[in-house]
Amino acid sequence: MAAQVEWERKPKGLDANLKDYETAYRTFRWEDVEREFDWVTTGKVNVVHEAVDRHAASSRKDKVALYYTDLERRDERYTFEDLARLTSRFANVLKRLGVKKGDRIGTFLPRTPELYIAILGINRIGAIPVPLFEAFMEQAIQDRLENSEALACVTTPALKPRIPRRSLPALKCLVLVGDEGPLSSDEVSYEREMASASDRCEPEWLTKDDGLIIHYTSGSTGKSKGALHRQYAMVGHYQTAKWALDLRDDDCFWCTADPGWVTGTSYGIYGPWTLGVSSVVLGGRFDPDRWYQTIQKYRVTMWYSAPTAYRMLMSAGEAIPKQYDLSSLRHICSVGEPLNPEALKWVKKITGLAPHETWWMTETGMQLICNYRSLDFKIGCTGKPFPGTYATVVDDQGREVPPGQLGHLVVKPGWPSMMKEIWNNPSKYQEYFRIPGWYASGDSAFKDDDGYIWYQGRADDVIKTSGERVGPFEVESALVAHPAVAEAGVIGKPDAVRGQIIKAFVALRKGHQPSEPLKKEIAEFVKNNLAAHAAPREIDFVEKIPKTRSGKIMRRVLRAWDLGEPVGDTSTMEE
Ligand code: 6R9
């Protein structure tokens, strides 16, 4: 436990949406939140009605839902009414292509308004969006579109070559955004189809249990897995956006995450828009100047980002933020990895506000352990369970451990946005419930005497690099596809800015010599086949990859090698 605990104290009577955590935690009922949704009275469920149509039919009609800029070519704003119209058009485009309720549709697009319109257009007809991060290369795309058996994919001419269509028999059609050229018979132009589509499309009425979205994410073994969420998840998105992000009607909210990741949909789309709050999207690459400029330009009031981003801003120095007016900010939150106290204090220094932790996962769909705007917290802690949920720390048998003792971070199943299934993989789903009575996160943590939970790291081999979740197996598979690589083992190596970086140990095939150019070539190969963020930043050549007798890579040994430490017990290692 931290020797000297520093508190972030909150003024009494602070005007937050969640005024008194302890009372709320005692009295909270999800049924009360359900009443905020129209489906409670109509029985007709569709997130697009709750996030768009009901606002478009209210006094929020002309309110800006989405501010979009790339600070160069595009500078646009879309009201809730615009979103109702455009997502209806896109829904009609999909209908014309024969897409029906329950079909999976990929979105492989840069962060542009079309991506948001596509996701909600897919939802409108009850189909299931499968967002694919823009930086994914061929292998990553193939794995995800193959597993989800997506019927169509919305993409751009520039990204299209990365979709291996010949090996995706289920993929019938591409919708191309920004294409003026000739199209093949299984392609349509987004612009041309949108121009002739009707502005009206009643949502497909669903049940609470029907599909909302599939987000692919990584585990410590195997290929990426698709976490399917249900429509009912919107109840969790809504309430956490209200109490953890503290969103209000007059806020201008900036969630910096891409919808290719769960944060970019739960809190880039569903949370803020079910609340009717204006959201900012910045296209293009990370750059400190552009980020501060965005806060200034839109007078952003609530900012939700990740520790790596805060640390990158920190390393760019204090002179840059001084050139911008950041005084509009009133609340800041953080997600994806632990926020180190140094970065927290730096953000506080430049904005006057300490970022508040929110802990959750792709599979949990919503924030579960948070620091709250009105509640004192200890700097460095992960926070307290969200009202209506119960997260705690247990031993291997599922018994809660005493304060201060390290254990598995678990959650009592049954919160609104818990994933419904792992797509096409019931046994993977069951693995999350291996500790009797609990959803096992795979993280380790301890609870202190005051009930604050302190994240202590992953208990498995999953890597978090720049806040993005990467499975070692995916990287190892990409590495061994290189002609010079015989075997590979991958670990996350601690890094001051990125949290972890990907480090690969590589054994070469006969006839290949270790060299610096070869390292570069191998890293480049992974970048081009999987994704830039999944490419190893460090490669060590070794004779052999340490494996157990049953053939499992011993990453514990790799980590010890990396640190130059003794390897410990190797009795299970193969000869
Ligand atoms: C939303 C998201 C989930 C894993 C999770 C944990 C780590 C997320 C954190 C955090 C410490 C926080 N994580 N938030 N660790 N403090 N506030 O990140 O989902 O990409 O699925 O990652 O990220 O290890 O298990 P996902």
Side-chain angles (χ1 to χ4, degrees), residues 217-218 261-263 304 307 334-339 357-364 369 382 441-443 455 457-458 462 464 467-469:
T217 190
S218 305
W261 313 114
V262 71
T263 309
Y304 191 27
S334 175
V335 63
E337 347 144 41
L339 181 66
E357 284 278 16
T358 63
W359 176 96
W360 57 294
M361 307 174 68
T362 306
E363 296 87 336
T364 74
I369 304 171
T382 314
S441 67
D443 288 353
Y455 167 91
R458 285 293 303 178
V462 168
K464 265 282 169 138
E468 278 152 18
R469 193 164 148 188

Side-chain angles (χ1 to χ4, degrees), residues 66-76 109-116 134 254-259 279-287 289-291 293-294 297-298:
L66 170 64
Y67 290 98
Y68 178 81
T69 186
D70 57 14
L71 296 173
E72 284 154 30
R73 285 152 299 154
R74 295 182 71 171
D75 190 336
E76 297 159 17
L109 290 168
R111 207 178 323 168
T112 51
E114 292 72 31
L115 172 54
Y116 292 78
E134 181 194 359
W254 185 25
C255 167
T256 64
D258 189 283
S279 220
V280 171
V281 173
L282 172 66
R285 292 182 70 83
F286 173 85
D287 167 80
D289 263 296
R290 298 175 79 239
W291 274 42
Q293 203 182 327
T294 300
K297 177 177 162 77
Y298 294 108

Side-chain angles (χ1 to χ4, degrees), residues 27 121 419 463:
T27 57
M419 64 173 164
I463 300 165

Side-chain angles (χ1 to χ4, degrees), residues 36-53:
E36 310 272 316
F37 293 88
D38 282 351
W39 53 254
V40 172
T41 39
T42 63
K44 301 196 280 193
V45 182
N46 189 314
V47 74
V48 180
H49 172 80
E50 310 293 340
V52 178
D53 292 3

Side-chain angles (χ1 to χ4, degrees), residues 197-244:
S198 154
D199 276 349
R200 301 190 78 84
C201 178
E202 169 149 313
E204 175 84 22
W205 296 118
L206 308 165
T207 69
K208 290 183 283 186
D209 226 25
D210 280 317
L212 174 75
I213 195 163
I214 297 178
H215 274 290
Y216 278 84
T217 190
S218 305
S220 47
T221 57
K223 297 247 186 207
S224 67
K225 44 193 175 179
L228 170 69
H229 289 283
R230 61 185 109 213
Q231 292 278 324
Y232 188 65
M234 71 174 98
V235 175
H237 301 149
Y238 174 96
Q239 193 60 23
T240 46
K242 193 170 181 171
W243 279 2

